[in-house]
Amino acid sequence: MRVNPEPSDAPLPSRARVVDIARAAGVSTATVDRVLNKRPGVRDATVQRVLKAAGELDYLPGQALYAALAPQPLRLSVLLPAGTNRFIRMLGDMVGYSQEHWAPFNVRCRTEFIESFNPHELAAALRRHGKRSDGIAVMALEHPAVREAVAELAAQGVPVITLISDLSNSPRVAYIGLDNRAAGRTAGYLIGRFIGARSAKVALIAGSLSYRAHEEREAGFLHVIDEMFPQLSVVGLREGHDDAEQNYRQTRALLDQHPELGGIYNIGGASDGVARALKEAGRDQKVVFIGHGLTPDTRALLIDGSLDAVITQSPHTTLMSCVRIFTNLRDGREALSGVENTRSQVIFRENLP
């Protein structure tokens, strides 16, 4: 006959409870719950004390404890204008497919394209992303609504970097982009030298002067024309909103109004619209044309000779500078520590990279 063994008096091992961790760490159970579920609002020293207690009580297995101790990646948002500006689109797309480049910095980046030239929509997007991001990079519109949103984020401890176009009198932590006044002067110098000593009219097409970058490029262009090329007269500035079709129509109107037009500086994007109008009028090899942003379409225009030069910057370096600034702030360093100034490049057909 089989006899059941006597029950043992030894207690069965029991898993530690939240209250045990709280007692060991000297905190409330609510604090323990926040730490174990990775909710914000607990000081770093307290987090480490709670996790240490959880590990000593075997509440978390080794792998889970390691994961809990690992710092959360920085959540970064990049806000860019929607539209047909291919350089801006390329910059935004690069955020997605370059995640492996940001991995060593322990960051996660995402892009949102905002309705172009709408400051209230941009301000709303800044506030929306400020609730779920540790830092925001934005191509800013020069407008009080945008400035106020950036100020609110700064007060909440969410740093903002301006990209491509800066925002005056704002608490943004840094600007990453060209010296736009110098870029405008460069364009004016190139057009003046290409046209030569003859008298001619030149025109400008901007995306929108709501962008400080475009306003500064215009100012630089006008200054260098006035200083160095008195034989050239500027026939005004038109806005094409970085849209290829609008740029096409604006260029056709300029050519109809000024048949002797000698040069065009496209301050913003969508240079393909300008080139299409020049080609249709048979003026693509006669009008000096300077644009911005090296992209597949401007590269093709340089090769066929309808575009004479492109002023550009590296999109990858631009994004990497943003990541470095945010990680500098996270790690307690100066914001611009190890960040190089943005370099302007002038690309011709003969030096295409």
Side-chain angles (χ1 to χ4, degrees), residues 152-212:
E152 289 176 16
L153 292 178
Q156 296 165 16
V158 180
V160 176
I161 295 172
T162 51
L163 286 176
I164 312 297
S165 189
D166 203 2
L167 182 63
S168 61
N169 301 317
S170 70
R172 53 84 170 145
V173 297
Y175 162 67
I176 298 298
L178 299 177
D179 178 337
N180 287 298
R181 190 173 291 269
R185 289 183 63 87
T186 300
Y189 181 79
L190 290 171
I191 281 184
R193 295 293 290 176
F194 275 135
I195 290 177
R198 67 185 174 90
S199 297
K201 295 181 178 181
V202 296
L204 303 94
I205 297 177
S208 171
L209 295 186
S210 296
Y211 284 120
R212 182 176 169 184

Side-chain angles (χ1 to χ4, degrees), residues 134-330:
D134 301 306
I136 299 174
V138 59
M139 184 170 170
L141 286 163
E142 189 70 37
H143 192 278
V146 178
R147 193 175 296 111
E148 186 67 16
V150 171
E152 289 176 16
L153 292 178
Q156 296 165 16
V158 180
V160 176
I161 295 172
T162 51
L163 286 176
I164 312 297
S165 189
D166 203 2
L167 182 63
S168 61
N169 301 317
S170 70
R172 53 84 170 145
V173 297
Y175 162 67
I176 298 298
L178 299 177
D179 178 337
N180 287 298
R181 190 173 291 269
R185 289 183 63 87
T186 300
Y189 181 79
L190 290 171
I191 281 184
R193 295 293 290 176
F194 275 135
I195 290 177
R198 67 185 174 90
S199 297
K201 295 181 178 181
V202 296
L204 303 94
I205 297 177
S208 171
L209 295 186
S210 296
Y211 284 120
R212 182 176 169 184
H214 291 196
E215 184 180 10
E216 290 175 344
R217 290 172 189 176
E218 179 200 17
F221 182 91
L222 295 176
H223 286 167
V224 82
I225 293 295
D226 184 60
E227 292 168 11
M228 300 182 64
F229 305 104
Q231 77 278 16
L232 301 181
S233 60
V234 180
V235 295
L237 179 142
R238 295 166 179 254
E239 292 186 345
H241 296 105
D242 286 352
D243 180 81
E245 190 59 35
Q246 288 191 50
N247 278 0
Y248 166 79
R249 292 196 299 268
Q250 296 286 23
T251 305
R252 287 305 303 249
L254 281 168
L255 293 172
D256 291 342
Q257 188 175 357
H258 305 286
E260 72 280 27
L261 192 69
I264 295 178
Y265 173 33
N266 183 28
I267 293 175
S271 287
D272 52 329
V274 178
R276 179 158 65 96
L278 290 173
K279 290 174 181 178
E280 286 186 2
R283 303 293 303 281
D284 54 301
Q285 304 299 318
K286 299 175 183 177
V287 175
V288 178
F289 178 23
I290 309 297
H292 273 269
L294 184 62
T295 60
D297 65 308
T298 54
R299 188 182 188 93
L301 297 176
L302 286 169
I303 290 171
D304 72 21
S306 54
L307 182 61
D308 293 285
V310 167
I311 301 168
T312 195
Q313 64 193 81
S314 165
H316 181 267
T317 301
T318 297
L319 293 174
M320 184 59 74
S321 294
C322 290
V323 169
R324 286 187 182 278
I325 290 170
F326 285 127
T327 55
N328 282 342
L329 294 172
R330 176 192 62 194

Side-chain angles (χ1 to χ4, degrees), residues 13-187:
S14 61
R15 187 168 182 258
R17 299 168 300 166
V18 167
V19 67
D20 300 321
I21 300 171
R23 187 180 301 111
V27 298
S28 68
T29 55
T31 298
V32 173
D33 181 74
R34 294 181 75 85
V35 171
L36 296 180
N37 289 285
K38 299 184 178 181
R39 298 192 184 98
V42 183
R43 292 183 301 173
D44 288 343
T46 304
V47 170
Q48 297 302 317
R49 196 162 70 247
V50 169
L51 292 175
K52 181 175 182 292
E56 290 174 348
L57 293 171
D58 291 328
Y59 185 87
L60 294 172
Q63 186 174 0
L65 182 61
Y66 175 81
L69 288 168
Q72 290 293 299
L74 278 178
R75 301 164 299 169
L76 306 180
S77 295
V78 181
L79 308 184
L80 298 172
T84 60
N85 185 321
R86 288 181 175 82
F87 184 82
I88 299 300
R89 174 61 65 173
M90 184 170 66
L91 186 68
D93 291 343
M94 189 172 287
V95 172
Y97 64 71
S98 296
Q99 290 295 338
E100 69 276 6
H101 293 289
W102 326 135
F105 297 91
N106 194 29
V107 302
R108 291 179 183 170
C109 302
R110 58 177 297 177
T111 304
E112 182 176 340
F113 290 96
I114 311 299
E115 181 185 343
S116 301
F117 314 109
N118 186 330
H120 299 289
E121 177 61 30
L122 180 56
L126 282 164
R127 293 187 176 96
R128 186 169 63 251
H129 282 267
K131 296 176 181 178
R132 59 183 185 234
S133 300
D134 301 306
I136 299 174
V138 59
M139 184 170 170
L141 286 163
E142 189 70 37
H143 192 278
V146 178
R147 193 175 296 111
E148 186 67 16
V150 171
E152 289 176 16
L153 292 178
Q156 296 165 16
V158 180
V160 176
I161 295 172
T162 51
L163 286 176
I164 312 297
S165 189
D166 203 2
L167 182 63
S168 61
N169 301 317
S170 70
R172 53 84 170 145
V173 297
Y175 162 67
I176 298 298
L178 299 177
D179 178 337
N180 287 298
R181 190 173 291 269
R185 289 183 63 87
T186 300

